[in-house]
Amino acid sequence: MENGKKKKPFYKKWWVDSLFFFMMLMTGFIGTFILLALNTNFTTKKINSNTIVNFPVVDSQTLKIIEGDNNFSIGSENPKVTIVEFSDYACLVCKDSFSKIREIGIKYKDDVKIIFRDYPLISENSVIYAEAVRCAGEQNKFLEMHDKLFLNQENLSKDLILKLAQNINLDMTKYINCLQSERHRSNIMKDITDGQFLKLRGTPTLFINGQKLEGDIPMEVLEKIINSLINKNNN
């Protein structure tokens, strides 16, 4: 309660938030246009199962932009391989890809770190989906909500998100307060700005030790890259 006026509940702000997001996004486009003019040389590796993996070293400043700040991650504290995934919970191809990334996170947990970043541009509600997962992360349920949104992608709505939050036993008062506060909005906008600077053309986009890979990469190709980089670091 503030100045005698009751704050609008989360569900009444659903569509207003979408308009606000796109206004912020246009500001981001203007800012990143100047950065893109610097023409940083980011290459996209076209890899198939027969490709010999030979990634060049990426400088630390570029890696810092790729990895970003204040993002959720899983895996090794001292990784031999770092995977940064830019994704959108409304992206159909991301739904096909996310289970592979999760499998890699389990299989290579001692050698690989996975950083999750948002690039929510497909749906007018994509930014709200990203906030929904980040707010679950405040209660150590990032991965559970992340997976549930992809698994229920075709039926996502504000009501379903709240139901999914209840299903994973979140404290609903804290969760709804987080959504209403929009405190993760600036971090999501930072992901979008960095993605534009990195010349992302869509989602999913992966950066493996700084090298850009676009689209739904076959599991055997991902494993070949990861194993090659791990072996290289072991030598």
Side-chain angles (χ1 to χ4, degrees):
M1 188 80 67
E2 223 175 279
N3 297 325
K5 294 183 180 179
K6 190 176 181 180
K7 190 172 182 180
K8 283 187 178 181
F10 158 65
Y11 58 84
K12 290 186 178 180
K13 296 173 62 182
W14 187 264
W15 300 109
V16 176
D17 284 345
S18 299
L19 177 61
F20 175 73
F21 165 66
F22 282 109
M23 291 174 65
M24 291 181 68
L25 180 58
M26 290 306 297
T27 303
F29 279 136
I30 295 171
T32 52
F33 177 80
I34 299 172
L35 295 176
L36 289 172
L38 297 174
N39 194 30
T40 306
N41 183 27
F42 297 105
T43 59
T44 300
K45 292 290 180 181
K46 300 297 183 182
I47 294 179
N48 57 47
S49 57
N50 296 317
T51 303
I52 297 174
V53 180
N54 187 23
F55 285 172
V57 175
V58 177
D59 66 90
S60 59
Q61 184 176 0
T62 300
L63 284 175
K64 186 175 180 180
I65 295 171
I66 291 170
E67 295 181 7
D69 301 304
N70 300 313
N71 291 290
F72 289 92
S73 64
I74 58 173
S76 175
E77 293 282 337
N78 299 293
K80 296 181 177 72
V81 180
T82 299
I83 299 175
V84 180
E85 179 191 40
F86 282 85
S87 187
D88 183 332
Y89 294 101
C91 164
L92 295 175
V93 182
C94 296
K95 181 180 179 180
D96 295 333
S97 180
F98 97 94
S99 59
K100 299 171 190 173
I101 301 302
R102 293 286 281 109
E103 185 178 343
I104 286 170
I106 295 169
K107 184 174 181 178
Y108 296 94
K109 63 182 179 180
D110 295 329
D111 295 305
V112 174
K113 179 179 182 180
I114 298 173
I115 300 172
F116 300 93
R117 303 197 67 179
D118 294 304
Y119 203 60
L121 302 180
I122 290 178
S123 164
E124 60 187 357
N125 291 322
S126 288
V127 68
I128 297 173
Y129 302 154
E131 286 180 317
V133 177
R134 285 175 180 254
C135 283
E138 290 189 0
Q139 300 185 44
N140 298 316
K141 294 292 182 74
F142 176 88
L143 287 177
E144 288 92 332
M145 199 64 166
H146 170 276
D147 293 358
K148 283 189 176 294
L149 258 63
F150 276 125
L151 293 172
N152 292 275
Q153 187 183 73
E154 295 179 0
N155 302 308
L156 284 180
S157 67
K158 60 183 183 294
D159 292 330
L160 179 59
I161 285 175
L162 294 177
K163 183 177 180 180
L164 294 174
Q166 289 177 322
N167 289 345
I168 60 174
N169 299 316
L170 292 183
D171 180 320
M172 294 305 294
T173 300
K174 291 181 180 179
Y175 186 66
I176 291 173
N177 284 341
C178 177
L179 293 171
Q180 289 177 337
S181 74
E182 300 177 353
R183 56 177 167 264
H184 293 288
R185 185 73 51 110
S186 60
N187 291 329
I188 294 169
M189 289 302 301
K190 178 64 163 54
D191 282 1
I192 293 171
T193 301
D194 286 349
Q196 291 167 347
F197 179 74
L198 295 165
K199 302 181 182 179
L200 265 63
R201 296 187 296 181
T203 52
T205 297
L206 302 179
F207 288 87
I208 302 182
N209 283 8
Q211 298 302 313
K212 187 195 297 184
L213 303 174
E214 297 175 312
D216 183 18
I217 310 299
M219 188 65 177
E220 62 270 19
V221 175
L222 289 173
E223 289 196 302
K224 177 178 181 179
I225 295 170
I226 292 167
N227 289 328
S228 175
L229 292 172
I230 290 173
N231 291 334
K232 182 177 179 181
N233 277 287
N234 286 337
N235 293 332

